[in-house]
């Protein structure tokens, strides 16, 4: 996302917004991945479920619980989308859709 903004000739303010967007969706992806690891089956995920739990890995659900982890993910997605507020809606739409996909994926 940031590389695209740089290559597209974006100004520093826009590049910073893209950096914040990318950081937020990246962390949201990890939080959701942690949640799915403990709430979905291996078949639903398409990969081994509960493997983080099996190796006693520190995860968001382990530290905060599932409900609070979901709130964290929602806040990260909302913050990512907020970075796009000053963009023309049609240009922001693909990035908004990507953020929502990450936030609401089930596998």
């Amino acid at each position: 996302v940031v590389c695209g903004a740089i290559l597209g000739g974006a100004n520093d303010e826009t590049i910073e917004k893209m950096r914040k967007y990318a950081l937020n969706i990246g962390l949201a992806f990890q939080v959701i991945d942690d949640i799915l690891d403990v709430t979905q089956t291996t078949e639903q995920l398409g990969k081994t479920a509960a493997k983080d739990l099996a190796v006693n890995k520190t995860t968001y659900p382990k530290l905060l619980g599932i409900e609070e982890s979901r709130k964290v993910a929602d806040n990260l997605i909302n913050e990512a989308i907020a970075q796009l507020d000053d963009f023309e809606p049609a240009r922001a739409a693909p990035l908004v859709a990507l953020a929502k996909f990450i936030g609401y994926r089930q596998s």
Side-chain angles (χ1 to χ4, degrees), residues 23-87:
L23 287 171
N24 280 301
I25 64 168
L27 185 51
F29 184 93
Q30 183 59 57
V31 175
I32 296 296
D33 195 64
D34 288 352
I35 293 168
L36 294 175
D37 189 62
V38 296
T39 61
Q40 302 291 336
T41 66
T42 296
E43 293 75 26
Q44 290 169 315
L45 290 176
K47 64 179 186 176
T48 306
K51 64 181 175 184
D52 293 342
L53 190 61
V55 295
N56 201 29
K57 184 176 174 185
T58 301
T59 64
Y60 281 86
K62 183 177 179 180
L63 294 173
L64 304 174
I66 292 171
E67 186 175 321
E68 203 57 38
S69 295
R70 182 77 232 170
K71 289 179 187 175
V72 168
D74 288 344
N75 288 337
L76 289 164
I77 294 299
N78 290 334
E79 181 58 32
I81 292 171
Q83 297 305 311
L84 308 172
D85 284 348
D86 295 333
F87 288 59

Side-chain angles (χ1 to χ4, degrees), residues 10-23:
N11 62 31
D12 289 344
E13 181 183 351
T14 299
I15 292 168
E16 180 62 16
K17 287 182 180 191
M18 291 296 88
R19 186 189 69 77
K20 289 178 181 177
Y21 169 87
L23 287 171

